[in-house]
Amino acid sequence: DDKTYRPSATLLRLGAQTRRARVPERPVRSTVSNLAERTKQVVWFTVAERTIAVNLYKSVGTEGIQTFGREGKEVHLHCSAAGKAMLAVLPDDRIDAVVAERGLPAYTDHTTTDAEALRAELDTVRERGFARCDCETVENVRAVGAAVAIDDDTVGAITVGGPQSRLQGDYYESELPQLVVEHANELELRLKYQ
């Protein structure tokens, strides 16, 4: 009666269908949940939609802290671990196109906003096989992410995020990246051979 537009619940169904069309739900949810259980933090499966990262699935571990991220939340590719992991597998001309279209806006004082600095960081991501986000999207929140690819086609990325106070030292530098890469590789196999 008040003539205010309210989205229909049908949009939930359409969103769920769209999500399932991107990647099969069962292997993604299983892998994300397993990693959340192991790390006790928040774990995301994220996809690239043209020039942005979109969170599709999440699982919150027993010590996970929810920030502004939600399923369906969009963020620029250059400032998240998932986004950087996905950017790193792109050829340079595609990276240039993303930067030209979206720019490199700062989410925090730690966000990389210089194209050359981003390019150098993506070279490092390519070398080590994972990306880090060091308080670049949300203050005091760090993350580690790895791309998930099937036959050279990147379908998304898995990321573990948590408070800077927990993600530090050897855990942040080597243990967590190893877990994230292992789970990304496991998901690649599940998606390829399901």
Side-chain angles (χ1 to χ4, degrees):
D1 290 73
D2 65 4
K3 307 234 188 250
T4 301
Y5 172 78
R6 290 188 179 91
S8 163
T10 301
L11 293 176
L12 289 172
R13 181 179 48 80
L14 294 174
Q17 288 173 341
T18 301
R19 182 166 61 177
R20 282 191 303 273
R22 291 296 301 256
V23 290
E25 183 173 10
R26 181 172 287 151
V28 173
R29 280 207 189 275
S30 173
T31 304
V32 167
S33 294
N34 183 324
L35 187 53
E37 185 177 312
R38 297 263 318 261
T39 63
K40 300 180 181 175
Q41 302 302 319
V42 178
V43 179
W44 292 99
F45 180 79
T46 304
V47 296
E49 287 277 329
R50 292 184 21 89
T51 59
I52 57 170
V54 180
N55 295 327
L56 286 192
Y57 295 98
K58 88 170 174 186
S59 184
V60 180
T62 56
E63 297 177 12
I65 296 175
Q66 179 64 54
T67 60
F68 76 92
R70 302 280 185 269
E71 291 176 336
K73 176 74 177 172
E74 300 175 349
V75 67
H76 286 77
L77 290 166
H78 75 285
C79 63
S80 71
K84 288 188 273 187
M86 292 184 287
L87 273 175
V89 299
L90 295 176
D92 287 342
D93 62 324
R94 280 285 298 128
I95 295 168
D96 293 342
V98 169
V99 171
E101 183 173 332
R102 300 294 291 196
L104 300 173
Y107 281 58
T108 72
D109 291 341
H110 304 284
T111 307
T112 301
T113 57
D114 176 76
E116 288 307 311
L118 176 63
R119 194 174 300 286
E121 185 174 0
L122 295 178
D123 287 342
T124 301
V125 171
R126 287 181 190 114
E127 289 170 17
R128 63 185 179 205
F130 64 90
R132 286 194 181 97
C133 175
D134 195 2
C135 309
E136 296 170 62
T137 309
V138 178
E139 290 290 345
N140 302 313
V141 174
R142 285 180 157 173
V144 174
V148 174
I150 302 171
D151 299 325
D152 297 326
D153 180 33
T154 302
V155 296
I158 290 183
T159 305
V160 175
Q164 183 179 13
S165 60
R166 290 186 199 152
L167 303 187
Q168 59 180 312
D170 191 51
Y171 182 69
Y172 180 65
E173 295 298 324
S174 63
E175 291 176 46
L176 185 58
Q178 182 177 342
L179 279 172
V180 171
V181 170
E182 285 173 6
H183 281 75
N185 291 340
E186 175 187 312
L187 182 55
E188 289 170 343
L189 293 172
R190 286 180 173 188
L191 292 173
K192 183 172 182 172
Y193 296 109
Q194 67 170 345

